[in-house]
Amino acid sequence: MKFSFSKTFLLGFGFFGVSVIWMVYNAFVPLFLANRFHIEPWLIGLFMTFDNIAALFIQPPVGAWSDRLRTPIGRRMPFILIGAPIGAIAFGFIPLAAVLPLFVACTSTLLLSMAFWRTPVVALMPDITPSAYRSQANGIINFMGGVGAIIATLGGGALYKLNPAYPFWMGSILVIVATLLLFLFIREPREYEITSSERPALFRSLKEVVKDPDKSAFRILLAIFFWFVAYNAIEAFFTLYAQNHLGLPGGDGARLLGQLSLIFVLFALPAGYIGGSWGRRRTIITGILLLSACMLLMFLLPAPTLLIQVTRLPVLGVVPIIGVILMIAGASWALINVNSLPMVVDMTDNLRVGTYTGLYYLFSTLAAIVGPNINGWIIQLTGKDYNRVMLVGPIFMFIALLMMIGVRRGEVQGD
């Protein structure tokens, strides 16, 4: 198995589609809930976890299922070809729902279909990539995901001002295009055949991880949980933070997220190469420290200071102090996110890559459920002070740091 830059780049279109959908969803669904349906903050936090609750029960077992599946088009592709089109159609109907039950029906269909294909499309990366190049390959894939995030936030922010439905329709079209490119140009390897009586199973693998005396796999999974609690909790409320704490319109809040996403994109490739050469564990720890500092600055600095203009850049427009902080946060998140999945899958063999990818999503999805609920209640109990979301993140990042210090495996394996 050889590393192919072009094949990995094409594979990134799958992650591109996932990223577009969720960035638009996270940026604008809270605004619909607050402004159209007048939902209280703690209920918005609960609503924003519904997709993650479904994903918790679907994504991990689907990953193990895809390890066992054998079809003429591969073990991952059937999930992608079924889940992506259904998700794209449901996504396009979300902004058209004028009553809450219909809105919930559209979002429920979306979350079920997205959960069905996300783990298989991510598991394709280690399927076609040698261990020595998985950080770099994940950097390329996250680069593509970051491009999707920029389109979703910057383009979506502008489209939202024209018509709130336009960002969703843009996302639906892009997902369909990405799926077609993935199907036409990616061929799965054929050598993964089950030769033993033991078939990949999610909960058996989780039990092995917990009982392993080394504890490295369990520690990094716990670290993933805690840093996603920090990051997802903030992301779910950022547009409302911008609207209520900074006094910005919803579209401008999404534009600020786009500044984070831009640097994430630009730093995704370097983050992969840094992790491959400097060490994945050391790179992740550096990202944790930097991202914690960024969150603390957004909490401590007053809103007028955060909005002071620093410069003006093409595409991004005005860049305030908070924009600079978010850019540093984007680079920090790249150091963490690009190198974490390669560490997890390099703690197992190729037969169970989908299963361990499922474990990765089990812990990150649990975090995505816990994080918004914690922040929703904090906002509710502090008189709707949206700035408090920036205080919770560093606490959980510190716990993630303690977990990562004890990780001893997950670096490049010999191929």
Side-chain angles (χ1 to χ4, degrees):
M1 183 167 56
K2 295 181 180 180
F3 175 63
S4 171
F5 179 89
S6 59
K7 186 182 293 186
T8 306
F9 182 80
L10 287 170
L11 177 58
F13 277 102
F15 199 54
F16 170 90
V18 173
S19 182
V20 169
I21 289 287
W22 289 127
M23 286 302 294
V24 170
Y25 186 92
N26 288 332
F28 299 115
V29 165
L31 294 178
F32 282 133
L33 292 171
N35 301 332
R36 178 181 295 181
F37 300 113
H38 310 292
I39 303 298
E40 291 294 323
W42 73 271
L43 276 174
I44 294 176
L46 177 62
F47 190 96
M48 293 303 289
T49 65
F50 286 166
D51 59 323
N52 298 309
I53 293 170
L56 177 67
F57 293 101
I58 297 172
Q59 286 182 187
V62 164
W65 182 11
S66 71
D67 277 342
R68 300 190 297 267
L69 186 66
R70 299 295 182 269
T71 75
I73 58 173
R75 57 180 181 169
R76 318 291 188 197
M77 198 62 68
F79 298 92
I80 298 168
L81 295 181
I82 293 171
I86 295 174
I89 293 169
F91 193 62
F93 279 103
I94 287 176
L96 303 180
V99 295
L100 189 58
L102 182 58
F103 189 85
V104 171
C106 292
T107 54
S108 298
T109 303
L110 170 73
L111 66 91
L112 290 171
S113 58
M114 292 296 290
F116 188 72
W117 72 287
R118 182 168 184 173
T119 300
V121 75
V122 173
L124 269 175
M125 182 277 288
D127 278 353
I128 65 173
T129 308
S131 172
Y133 297 97
R134 284 174 179 169
S135 283
Q136 294 90 324
N138 208 34
I140 295 170
I141 290 171
N142 276 272
F143 170 83
M144 294 301 297
V147 171
I150 290 176
I151 292 173
T153 51
L154 298 182
L159 290 172
Y160 184 85
K161 293 180 179 179
L162 298 175
N163 187 318
Y166 288 170
F168 292 82
W169 296 347
M170 173 193 68
S172 296
I173 293 169
L174 290 175
V175 165
I176 295 295
V177 172
T179 304
L180 288 173
L181 289 171
L182 200 62
F183 176 69
L184 292 174
F185 295 105
I186 294 295
R187 293 292 177 267
E188 296 187 40
R190 301 293 184 184
E191 63 266 27
Y192 300 130
E193 296 296 334
I194 298 176
T195 56
S196 68
S197 59
E198 181 178 352
R199 299 168 67 85
L202 177 74
F203 292 106
R204 185 187 300 123
S205 297
L206 179 58
K207 186 176 180 180
E208 292 173 0
V209 163
V210 173
K211 289 187 174 181
D212 185 357
D214 178 68
K215 298 296 183 186
S216 286
F218 190 43
R219 280 180 173 273
I220 191 171
L221 290 171
L222 288 175
I224 288 165
F225 171 81
F226 287 116
W227 70 54
F228 269 107
V229 165
Y231 187 78
N232 283 333
I234 292 170
E235 185 181 55
F237 279 96
F238 188 82
T239 51
L240 288 172
Y241 162 85
Q243 178 178 279
N244 291 278
H245 180 68
L246 301 179
L248 298 175
D252 287 346
R255 184 179 59 82
L256 282 174
L257 276 180
Q259 296 179 359
L260 181 153
S261 301
L262 174 64
I263 299 303
F264 180 89
V265 170
L266 296 178
F267 211 71
L269 292 174
Y273 283 92
I274 291 170
S277 60
W278 195 41
R280 295 167 180 168
R281 173 178 168 273
R282 189 184 302 178
T283 302
I284 289 172
I285 288 174
T286 301
I288 290 172
L289 294 173
L290 289 173
L291 188 53
S292 299
C294 291
M295 293 177 187
L296 285 173
L297 283 175
M298 285 189 281
F299 173 73
L300 294 172
L301 294 177
T305 302
L306 290 170
L307 294 176
I308 294 173
Q309 179 178 343
V310 176
T311 186
R312 180 183 291 271
L313 295 175
V315 180
L316 293 178
V318 172
V319 179
I321 287 177
I322 191 171
V324 175
I325 295 172
L326 287 169
M327 290 179 183
I328 297 172
S332 306
W333 185 238
L335 292 175
I336 298 168
N337 203 32
V338 166
N339 290 287
S340 56
L341 178 63
M343 285 199 80
V344 172
V345 297
D346 272 338
M347 292 184 182
T348 187
D349 53 38
N350 289 330
L351 180 63
R352 296 194 292 177
V353 161
T355 304
Y356 269 61
T357 303
L359 289 175
Y360 173 92
Y361 278 114
L362 174 65
F363 281 80
S364 62
T365 302
L366 279 171
I369 293 170
V370 172
N373 277 290
I374 289 175
N375 279 271
W377 277 108
I378 288 174
I379 293 167
Q380 189 76 23
L381 295 173
T382 56
K384 298 185 180 180
D385 181 2
Y386 284 83
N387 190 37
R388 297 302 176 95
V389 297
M390 299 302 173
L391 180 61
V392 175
I395 297 172
F396 287 103
M397 280 291 181
F398 177 72
I399 301 173
L401 175 65
L402 295 180
M403 294 297 103
M404 282 303 300
I405 290 173
V407 173
R408 295 291 178 262
R409 295 189 292 120
E411 301 293 349
V412 172
Q413 295 180 355
D415 288 296

